Amino acid sequence: MAKMQFKSESKRLLDLMINSIYTHKEIFLREIISNASDAIDKLCFIALTDDKLGMTRSDFKIEIKTDKEARTLTITDNGIGMDKDDLENNLGTIASSGSYQFKQQLEEKQDDIDIIGQFGVGFYSAFMVAKEITVITKKYGSTTAYKWQSSGADGYDIEECDKDTLGTEIILTLKDNTEDENYDEFLEQYRIQGLVKRYSDYIRYPILMEMKKSRVKEDTKDSDKPEYEDYFELETLNSMVPIWQRPKKDVTQEEYDKFYTEKFMSMEKPLKTIVTSVEGVVTYKALLFIPASTPYDYYTKEYKKGLQLYSSGVLITDCCEELVPEHFRFVKGIVDTADLSLNISREMLQHDRHLLTIAQNIEKKIQRELTSMLGSDRENYEKFFKSFGRQLKYGVVSDYGLHKDELQDLLLFYSSTEKKLVTLSEYVDRMKEEQKFIYFATGENAAAIDALPQTELLRSKGFEILYCTEDVDEFTLQSLMMYKEKRFCSAANDDLGIENDEKKDEDEKDSSALLTFVKETLGDKVAEVTASKKLVSHPVCLTAKGGISFEMEKYFNSVQPDSGMKAQRVLELNLGHNAVKTMEALIQTDIDKAKKYAEVLYCQALLIAGLPLENPSEYTDLVCSLI
Ligand code: ADP
């Protein structure tokens, strides 16, 4: 009998498959198993109403066998099976649009090998590893069984054959090994076991395989030299019911923890587990985790954000980026939805309406969970914030502040008065009546900020100050601009919005000669010299004028040393301080010494602000000359 020919499109796809240089050839097993599971679904449904079939849910299974000598891998199901027409229609043509698209893409960009994994190319993908495929099948309601056989593009044969039971047996005769490819790997039970675990762990029917094991021979048990023998044991390779499909009340936290540590290869338990099940416009289940600490590669480009995406228990992609927003990129987990087809491509995923809705829901869910943790489990929230607070702040700054409303109430800053982390809302609730702004001060660490002279007046007024100790902190507050209608104000600002002290105003009037002298001495180093209204015990401090703060200057110069970013410096003098008074007196008696005093005081102000001295050795010479 003449060979039957594949439909022309299928033939071209087959050619591509057979000659594929794709590195993830292993996905063929996922495809074959998914087909088997679909076929069982169909017969299982019929079994509900057809008593004559004599089968119940627990009778259905998929079996895998390897034969090293014959170099075959056989996948058997007891599903609905196929008749002659089915074989011709289903295995002789490309049925799904997904496969057709796949073919087109593969032809267009031959070098982009990654696309194969994104398409459910189904049955044909087996030709990536098999030189011959035999399908022996008997359909529900039919008395005849058929054998379909093909070695690839030259066509296929169909003939009647014997088969007692319903269902389908797919026998893959593996390709010969080449220098580059070792197809024997698909005959190794541990490799198959691994593939099933990875791609098909949540198929709802048991996937069984005879596993070769070794044991001590019974009669040599007690001897000095025990002998071993091989034996076979049927093992279920898949866990079948995914943990996220089980009702939350039936799963213990230990089980969730174990799942997390195994699945995401973590040494520690998650800080928080979020379980959610949604039915409605979109239907999905999600199991999300917040890690207990920052992954070592978190702030590098090696770290990949995203959730695992399953479609009814079958893995579609390991890392679906679209499912979590950038500011929650620390969240790990799984989403399972029946609303997606297995055949969905990466490009299609990005625009899939269901997926976008799921992503929006997940974002809201994470936000709600974090908010409730902040309210009811502060200790753990602070742990979380220590690991990922920086990410939330980046979230406020990025996308032109698009997410700030969503994130601002999740932020924590160290407070000068409370001596612990506080929220912006707590700060505003405590604000004094006469207090106009939310004050913050920037420095390397809390101790350095404690010592900042700029904060003296604020402290003396009893105003709370938020400490910005991370480089992103000040940008975060600047991006927020306001919180509950209160503006943010840096302690290093020249205007702190505090009512002028009359006495100091008078001081200023008769100090104009001193201020002019210091400004002339320092020249362009400072934009202005003023009589300070905020200093109490320190002689000098630097404040910034205009749009650029000292922190911005430091930050930009660290990432781009020649950026030329410089804040306008205002040197504030505490006119009541002895050092300043002495300098003022010296203007009359020893003007050179007075100039040296002005230089020294300016350098001190730089040091306190955490800014580099232009010439450190000149500074020490200067100090020595005065000692
Ligand atoms: P897809 O599964 O995406 O439709 P495939 O190429 O994987 O495409 O399979 C084509 C068709 O062949 C399936 O839709 C199904 O009708 C049939 N088929 C494949 N494997 C089996 C099987 N084990 N039992 C019954 N029918 C099968």
Side-chain angles (χ1 to χ4, degrees):
M1 197 176 79
K3 270 198 186 312
M4 300 175 85
Q5 294 302 304
F6 288 105
K7 300 268 158 61
S8 61
E9 286 304 334
S10 317
K11 204 166 164 173
R12 275 160 58 200
L13 176 60
L14 262 174
D15 273 337
L16 287 167
M17 278 301 166
I18 292 162
N19 301 314
S20 162
I21 46 151
Y22 185 51
T23 44
H24 291 90
K25 294 188 162 81
E26 61 191 35
I27 59 117
F28 80 91
L29 190 62
R30 175 190 85 171
E31 299 296 324
I32 300 279
I33 290 176
S34 291
N35 282 345
S37 167
D38 290 347
I40 292 178
D41 274 345
K42 287 178 195 151
L43 192 59
C44 199
F45 184 73
I46 292 169
L48 293 176
T49 50
D50 183 354
D51 294 339
K52 286 202 290 297
L53 195 60
M55 288 180 91
T56 60
R57 176 74 174 70
S58 59
D59 295 323
F60 292 102
K61 57 181 191 283
I62 298 165
E63 277 181 270
I64 303 181
K65 270 202 199 88
T66 56
D67 182 335
K68 284 192 177 171
E69 262 158 50
R71 298 189 76 250
T72 55
L73 176 67
T74 304
I75 299 101
T76 309
D77 66 69
N78 52 357
I80 187 133
M82 286 176 275
D83 60 18
K84 194 166 181 232
D85 284 348
D86 290 336
L87 284 169
E88 272 176 30
N89 293 331
N90 297 334
L91 304 187
T93 39
I94 299 172
S96 72
S97 57
S99 331
Y100 182 67
Q101 277 197 8
F102 163 77
K103 182 195 72 67
Q104 275 193 324
Q105 288 235 5
L106 199 62
E107 277 180 343
E108 277 162 24
K109 16 182 193 170
Q110 274 279 8
D111 53 333
D112 186 2
I113 51 170
D114 224 32
I115 57 170
I116 296 187
Q118 310 305 332
F119 288 86
V121 283
F123 180 78
Y124 291 95
S125 63
F127 277 110
M128 291 195 290
V129 301
K131 59 181 179 188
E132 185 181 65
I133 302 181
T134 307
V135 179
I136 296 172
T137 179
K138 186 169 170 189
K139 190 173 178 168
Y140 164 76
S142 162
T143 46
T144 323
Y146 294 93
K147 180 159 107 178
W148 178 101
Q149 202 158 32
S150 169
S151 307
D154 62 341
Y156 58 89
D157 296 308
I158 298 179
E159 60 186 54
E160 287 185 19
C161 68
D162 292 330
K163 187 176 190 310
D164 297 336
T165 51
L166 295 182
T168 304
E169 188 174 320
I170 298 190
I171 305 157
L172 309 178
T173 307
L174 297 179
K175 287 186 184 178
D176 300 329
N177 294 329
T178 65
E179 256 175 44
D180 305 324
E181 295 282 353
N182 175 20
Y183 297 98
D184 282 352
E185 62 175 309
F186 300 116
L187 299 170
E188 297 298 335
Q189 58 183 20
Y190 292 107
R191 176 77 170 127
I192 299 296
Q193 190 181 28
L195 288 178
V196 170
K197 253 313 211 210
R198 176 162 163 71
Y199 292 107
S200 314
D201 200 28
Y202 306 117
I203 292 287
R204 292 182 300 274
Y205 307 99
I207 302 171
L208 304 166
M209 185 158 76
E210 290 268 13
M211 298 287 279
K212 188 171 170 186
K213 301 192 171 178
S214 178
R215 66 182 163 204
V216 179
K217 277 188 182 169
E218 193 59 34
D219 51 355
T220 66
K221 236 181 186 172
D222 302 321
S223 86
D224 295 342
K225 286 190 195 136
E227 287 174 32
Y228 289 84
E229 63 180 0
D230 289 338
Y231 72 102
F232 287 89
E233 195 173 81
L234 206 57
E235 239 182 66
T236 304
L237 304 182
N238 54 332
S239 18
M240 289 188 273
V241 183
I243 192 165
W244 60 86
Q245 294 286 4
R246 290 162 56 194
K248 195 175 162 187
K249 63 174 175 40
D250 295 347
V251 187
T252 62
Q253 187 57 48
E254 283 70 41
E255 285 178 286
Y256 283 132
D257 291 350
K258 183 165 173 290
F259 174 78
Y260 169 80
T261 49
E262 282 175 4
K263 186 101 185 169
F264 298 105
M265 284 174 280
S266 167
M267 308 280 279
E268 45 185 7
K269 294 190 289 188
L271 183 73
K272 177 138 192 83
T273 306
I274 303 170
V275 187
T276 169
S277 172
V278 174
E279 275 175 42
V281 188
V282 286
T283 299
Y284 67 91
K285 290 202 163 65
L287 175 56
L288 310 173
F289 300 97
I290 298 177
S293 55
T294 330
Y296 72 96
D297 60 349
Y298 187 68
Y299 289 105
T300 71
K301 60 179 188 314
E302 267 71 59
Y303 180 87
K304 289 219 162 21
K305 80 160 173 134
L307 303 178
Q308 284 202 330
L309 179 63
Y310 285 81
S311 170
S312 302
V314 179
L315 180 66
I316 299 212
T317 168
D318 245 346
C319 201
C320 181
E321 284 180 48
E322 289 75 21
L323 283 170
V324 265
E326 194 59 24
H327 47 270
F328 294 147
R329 69 202 289 272
F330 46 83
V331 174
K332 303 253 180 208
I334 275 158
V335 172
D336 194 345
T337 172
D339 296 337
L340 289 176
S341 100
L342 252 187
N343 292 345
I344 194 156
S345 74
R346 172 139 288 282
E347 288 73 17
M348 284 150 75
L349 265 185
Q350 278 170 11
H351 305 293
D352 188 86
R353 212 164 30 83
H354 291 296
L355 205 73
L356 289 178
T357 315
I358 296 174
Q360 282 165 1
N361 285 359
I362 284 180
E363 178 171 357
K364 282 191 209 122
K365 177 77 185 167
I366 298 170
Q367 199 227 354
R368 279 200 305 274
E369 289 285 333
L370 288 174
T371 307
S372 100
M373 184 160 134
L374 174 61
S376 61
D377 188 1
R378 185 73 168 231
E379 197 183 320
N380 259 335
Y381 188 82
E382 288 189 15
K383 248 194 227 164
F384 153 75
F385 197 79
K386 202 167 148 242
S387 307
F388 302 110
R390 178 186 279 265
Q391 181 68 64
L392 299 185
K393 295 172 199 165
Y394 285 144
V396 169
V397 175
S398 65
D399 292 341
Y400 305 100
L402 188 67
H403 317 287
K404 61 185 183 186
D405 288 346
E406 180 188 345
L407 297 175
Q408 59 186 0
D409 284 311
L410 294 174
L411 300 179
L412 295 178
F413 293 92
Y414 183 83
S415 150
S416 63
T417 53
E418 305 303 302
K419 307 282 180 215
K420 61 176 189 190
L421 293 172
V422 300
T423 65
L424 295 176
S425 165
E426 287 160 357
Y427 182 105
V428 169
D429 288 348
R430 273 194 295 268
M431 272 173 80
K432 298 209 181 267
E433 221 169 284
E434 73 275 22
Q435 187 179 341
K436 280 199 215 149
F437 301 132
I438 302 174
Y439 295 106
F440 65 90
T442 312
E444 287 286 301
N445 50 47
I449 300 176
D450 279 339
L452 278 182
Q454 287 96 323
T455 61
E456 278 196 313
L457 179 66
L458 295 174
R459 285 178 207 279
S460 70
K461 293 249 171 211
F463 292 164
E464 183 172 355
I465 306 166
L466 299 176
Y467 284 13
C468 294
T469 50
E470 283 189 321
D471 52 10
V472 65
D473 284 349
E474 194 174 323
F475 290 116
T476 309
L477 298 181
Q478 273 166 359
S479 302
L480 287 176
M481 285 193 298
M482 299 248 224
Y483 179 79
K484 293 198 179 160
E485 291 169 15
K486 303 284 181 198
R487 296 194 80 83
F488 290 96
C489 175
S490 165
N493 255 3
D494 53 346
D495 179 12
L496 292 179
I498 295 174
E499 288 304 304
N500 284 357
D501 186 319
E502 277 172 25
K503 190 190 143 295
K504 290 212 170 172
D505 264 357
E506 275 168 29
D507 280 350
E508 198 171 345
K509 268 180 224 133
D510 35 68
S511 63
S512 60
L514 169 67
L515 301 179
T516 313
F517 165 77
V518 178
K519 168 72 182 116
E520 278 172 4
T521 306
L522 297 176
D524 289 342
K525 289 178 193 162
V526 291
E528 212 178 309
V529 180
T530 62
S532 179
K533 298 183 188 75
K534 43 173 112 84
L535 291 174
V536 180
S537 65
H538 286 76
V540 283
C541 73
L542 271 187
T543 51
K545 199 174 139 177
I548 305 169
S549 70
F550 293 136
E551 286 321 303
M552 286 164 92
E553 171 181 326
K554 280 185 236 167
Y555 177 75
F556 281 107
N557 288 327
S558 72
V559 292
Q560 197 188 336
D562 57 354
S563 70
M565 178 76 82
K566 198 163 179 188
Q568 283 197 56
R569 289 148 166 66
V570 175
L571 181 67
E572 295 195 13
L573 300 180
N574 178 355
L575 300 181
H577 196 280
N578 270 341
V580 177
K581 283 184 185 163
T582 311
M583 174 170 66
E584 189 171 20
L586 278 173
I587 299 175
Q588 310 301 327
T589 55
D590 186 347
I591 189 136
D592 283 343
K593 203 168 185 184
K595 283 182 181 168
K596 285 184 180 174
Y597 269 51
E599 292 281 356
V600 169
L601 286 172
Y602 170 66
C603 289
Q604 287 185 346
L606 279 176
L607 288 174
I608 293 170
L611 292 165
L613 293 177
E614 273 149 40
N615 193 334
S617 67
E618 225 170 65
Y619 170 70
T620 46
D621 287 349
L622 195 61
V623 173
C624 287
S625 75
L626 292 171
I627 294 174

